[in-house]
Amino acid sequence: MFTDIVAKQQNFFYEGSTKSLSFRVKQLQKLKSIVKSSEKDILKALKQDLNRPPLESYASEVGFILSEISYTLKNIHNWMSPKKVKLPITYFGTKAFIVPEPLGLALIFGTWNYPFLLSLLPLAGAISSGNCAIVKPSEYAATSSNIIKKIINDNFDPAFITVAEGGVTESEALLAQKFDFIFFTGNPNIGKIVMSEAAKTLTPVALELGGKSPCIVHKDANIKLAAEKIAWAKFINAGQTCVAPDYLLVHNQIKEELIRHIKEYITKFYGKNPAESPDYCRIINEKHFDRLSAFLRSGNIIIGGQTNRDNLYIAPTVIDNVFSLESAIMEEEIFGPIIPIIPYEDIRRAVSIIRSKPKPLAAYIFCDDSNTENYILNRVSCGSVCINDIMLQTSTYALPFGGVGESGMGRYHGKASFDTFSNFKSILQAPKSFDIKLRYPPYKTSSLKIMKLFLR
Ligand code: NAD
C-alpha cells in the first residue's frame, strides 16, 4: 500500500536534500507559519472532535508547537554542529568528533487526545534532525486528522514529508514497510505490536505510552492548592491526557478536606452542571465512553457520576472506597474524567501501592517535607515527577519527556527531539605523518611495559 511513497522518500533522503542547515530551517519555518495560519481550522477541529475550548487547544497544541519550533530554530545550528571530543594522551596527534546525522525515514504514529501536538511535535523533531517522515494521525480524532493531512500534504513535497490517514489496516501496511525509525504515541498494547513489527527489521523505536500516574497528597501539603491543581489537571480534556493524575493517594488526616476543596473547584471551573459548561470536553468515542462508564461501578461515587452516551458526556467524577485494589479501575489506565481516592496512613503504604504497578509515565507529590519527598523520589521510578504542581514538567522544551518500563522508551521535546531522531556518529581522524608502532607484532617485552604504563 505504501511501497511507492516509501521508495520516493528513500530516494529523496539518499540525494542528501534534507541534510543542510538551510533546508531544515526553511522547512521548520514553513511548518511554523502553516500552523500559525491554520490556527482557526485547528481550534475548530478540536472543538468538533473533543469539544475542547479554544484557550485549552491553543495552550496545549498550537502554542506548544509554535514555541517548540521557535526554540529549535534558535538552537539548531548549535545542535547540528560536530562536537570535538578530548582524547587521552595515548591518542596523541589524533582528532575526534561526534557528528549528529539523520536516521533516514521516520514513521510517526500520533494519537487522538492531543492530535496536532502528538503528530506535529515529533514531525518537527524529525525535520530538525534532517529526516524524511510519514505521519499517521489517529483516526479517532477524524476532523483533526483531516486538517493535519491537508496542512502538510498541501504544503510539502511528499517525497520529504507526508501524512497518511487511516486505521488499523493502514497502520499495519505502514509497519510492513522498512523505516529507519518508528516514533509511536498510544497505548502500551499497540506499542507492543509496533515494537514486535519493528524488531523484524531491527528498526529502533521510541514509544510514548501511558500508564497509571499516581498523585500523592501528604498530610502536610497545602490542601487547597493541591485540590485546585488536581481538579484542573484531571478534568481538562475530560481526563484524556496521558500525564493526568490517574489516581490519588491521600493521607487519611486530610482526605475529607481535600475532597471538599476538589468539589468546590469543580463547581468553580465548570459550574453546577458541567454538562452545560462551554469549557468541559467530551469523550472521544462510544468505545472509550463504554470503557469509562464501567469504572463508575468500582466504588462509591462522591462527586459527579452523571453520564450521557448521546453526547459522550461523563461528569467530573471522584470515587471513594474503591472495592478492590485489584479491580479494573486500579489495574488499567483510566484516561478519562474519573479519579479514585486511595487513603493511606503511612507513606510506605502509598509507595508500595505505586510500586505494585508498572512504572508510570509521571508521578505527582504534594507535600511540605523534604524527607518525605526524598523518600518517594528515591523509591518511585517513572518518566517524570512534578512536586507541588501537575503536568508542568511536560509542557516545557527544557525537560525531556518520555516514559520508562511499560510507560515507554525514548525522550523528546526541545533538544531531546533532535537527539531522538539523530544518529550520533563517532568520527576519529588519525595523523598521517606518524604512527606509534607499539601495537604491531612481533611484540617486544619493552612494548608491553610501555603499554602497561599507559593502560592501567
Ligand atoms: P491507540 O494507542 O489505540 O491508537 C494509537 C494509534 O495506533 C492510532 O493511530 C491507531 O490507528 C494505531 N493502531 C491501532 N491499531 C493498530 C495496530 N494493530 N497496529 C498498528 N497501529 C495500530 O489509542 P488509545 O489507546 O485510545 O490512546 C490512548 C493511549 O495513548 C493512552 O494509554 C495514553 O496514555 C497514551 N498516550 C500517551 C502519550 C504520551 O505522550 N506518552 C500521549 C497521548 C496518549
Side-chain angles (χ1 to χ4, degrees):
M1 199 189 282
F2 295 103
T3 318
D4 285 354
I5 188 64
V6 168
K8 276 190 189 134
Q9 290 206 346
Q10 268 159 356
N11 285 337
F12 193 83
F13 181 73
Y14 283 108
E15 277 165 16
S17 324
T18 62
K19 289 193 178 169
S20 71
L21 172 66
S22 59
F23 180 86
R24 300 184 201 189
V25 166
K26 208 171 142 198
Q27 305 305 321
L28 286 169
Q29 284 168 337
K30 195 197 236 187
L31 182 61
K32 188 176 164 187
S33 95
I34 292 162
V35 170
K36 250 187 191 164
S37 61
S38 311
E39 183 189 316
K40 265 195 188 148
D41 289 341
I42 294 175
L43 300 188
K44 220 168 119 186
L46 291 166
K47 185 81 192 159
Q48 174 108 17
D49 285 333
L50 289 148
N51 193 42
R52 174 112 57 74
L55 185 140
E56 270 179 29
S57 292
Y58 189 88
S60 62
E61 306 217 35
V62 178
F64 198 145
I65 298 166
L66 294 179
S67 66
E68 279 260 353
I69 298 178
S70 304
Y71 179 73
T72 304
L73 285 166
K74 267 192 211 132
N75 291 286
I76 185 169
H77 180 255
N78 176 29
W79 295 345
M80 273 179 73
S81 55
K83 302 285 177 296
K84 205 168 171 189
V85 174
K86 205 167 171 254
L87 291 167
I89 186 75
T90 40
Y91 284 77
F92 181 74
T94 303
K95 291 177 189 161
F97 304 90
I98 297 171
V99 180
E101 63 173 15
L103 289 167
L105 262 62
L107 172 61
I108 297 167
F109 286 104
T111 190
W112 50 266
N113 58 333
Y114 293 90
F116 291 91
L117 181 78
L118 300 173
S119 295
L120 300 185
L121 209 56
L123 178 64
I127 297 173
S128 72
S129 316
N131 299 272
C132 291
I134 298 182
V135 179
K136 217 292 284 160
S138 170
E139 68 279 23
Y140 291 179
T143 317
S144 300
S145 173
N146 287 175
I147 301 288
I148 295 168
K149 182 177 180 182
K150 189 170 157 33
I151 64 180
I152 298 298
N153 292 7
D154 285 358
N155 291 290
F156 289 93
D157 181 349
F160 168 46
I161 54 176
T162 193
V163 171
E165 285 193 282
V168 180
T169 312
E170 289 76 9
S171 301
E172 286 172 350
L174 282 165
L175 287 172
Q177 302 293 323
K178 170 67 185 146
F179 289 88
D180 299 292
F181 188 60
I182 301 176
F183 188 100
F184 172 82
T185 304
N187 82 55
N189 291 331
I190 314 272
K192 285 175 194 162
I193 299 176
V194 170
M195 196 168 173
S196 69
E197 288 304 307
K200 290 178 185 164
T201 50
L202 289 179
T203 303
V205 293
L207 301 177
E208 303 294 336
L209 311 175
K212 292 188 81 60
S213 299
C215 175
I216 298 179
V217 188
H218 200 51
K219 58 184 172 190
D220 56 0
N222 180 334
I223 311 301
K224 223 173 156 203
L225 184 98
E228 185 171 26
K229 293 183 178 194
I230 290 164
W232 167 74
K234 182 63 191 183
F235 301 118
I236 62 163
N237 212 30
Q240 299 162 115
T241 305
C242 59
V243 283
D246 186 274
Y247 62 102
L248 296 178
L249 290 159
V250 182
H251 195 276
N252 268 324
Q253 261 176 39
I254 46 104
K255 193 181 113 182
E256 293 314 317
E257 190 185 345
L258 182 77
I259 292 169
R260 201 176 68 244
H261 287 308
I262 291 179
K263 195 171 184 177
E264 279 163 19
Y265 280 112
I266 292 174
T267 311
K268 190 173 171 202
F269 296 161
Y270 302 112
K272 282 212 156 50
N273 181 8
E276 287 167 5
S277 166
D279 295 329
Y280 191 65
C281 295
R282 293 296 180 267
I283 306 306
I284 188 70
N285 56 27
E286 281 84 4
K287 183 181 137 194
H288 275 286
F289 177 92
D290 293 339
R291 183 183 64 78
L292 288 164
S293 299
F295 289 144
L296 296 172
R297 297 187 286 275
S298 308
N300 298 339
I301 294 173
I302 48 171
I303 301 173
Q306 302 79 3
T307 64
N308 182 349
R309 198 172 191 272
D310 293 340
N311 65 12
L312 300 171
Y313 169 76
I314 298 182
T317 298
V318 178
I319 294 189
D320 195 10
N321 297 321
V322 170
F323 299 140
S324 153
L325 286 185
E326 275 77 48
S327 62
I329 198 168
M330 285 307 293
E331 291 289 341
E332 292 168 25
E333 179 183 3
I334 297 170
F335 212 57
I338 303 168
I339 193 156
I341 295 192
I342 313 296
Y344 68 85
E345 195 56 42
D346 185 332
I347 192 66
R348 286 175 297 188
R349 169 75 180 139
V351 166
S352 84
I353 292 174
I354 299 173
R355 290 180 62 160
S356 70
K357 305 186 181 306
K359 293 177 182 177
L361 190 55
Y364 302 105
I365 307 168
F366 288 91
C367 142
D368 192 34
D369 164 35
S370 56
N371 286 335
T372 312
E373 237 170 67
N374 288 333
Y375 179 85
I376 302 164
L377 288 174
N378 286 331
R379 285 162 182 80
V380 171
S381 176
C382 56
S384 63
V385 175
C386 187
I387 301 166
N388 293 327
D389 213 319
I390 306 189
M391 304 205 299
L392 293 191
Q393 83 282 15
T394 66
S395 54
T396 166
Y397 44 69
L399 284 173
F401 171 67
V404 57
E406 280 190 39
S407 56
M409 58 187 76
R411 291 278 185 279
Y412 77 129
H413 292 190
K415 167 85 160 58
S417 297
F418 177 87
D419 293 353
T420 284
F421 286 93
S422 295
N423 171 43
F424 287 86
K425 192 155 74 181
S426 297
I427 300 179
L428 185 142
Q429 197 177 21
K432 281 178 266 172
S433 50
F434 71 95
D435 189 16
I436 299 167
K437 304 292 180 194
L438 220 62
R439 62 175 143 161
Y440 303 117
Y443 303 120
K444 296 181 194 134
T445 324
S446 60
S447 302
L448 183 60
K449 271 188 190 154
I450 297 170
M451 202 168 268
K452 282 186 173 174
L453 214 59
F454 287 106
L455 301 179
R456 47 192 177 127

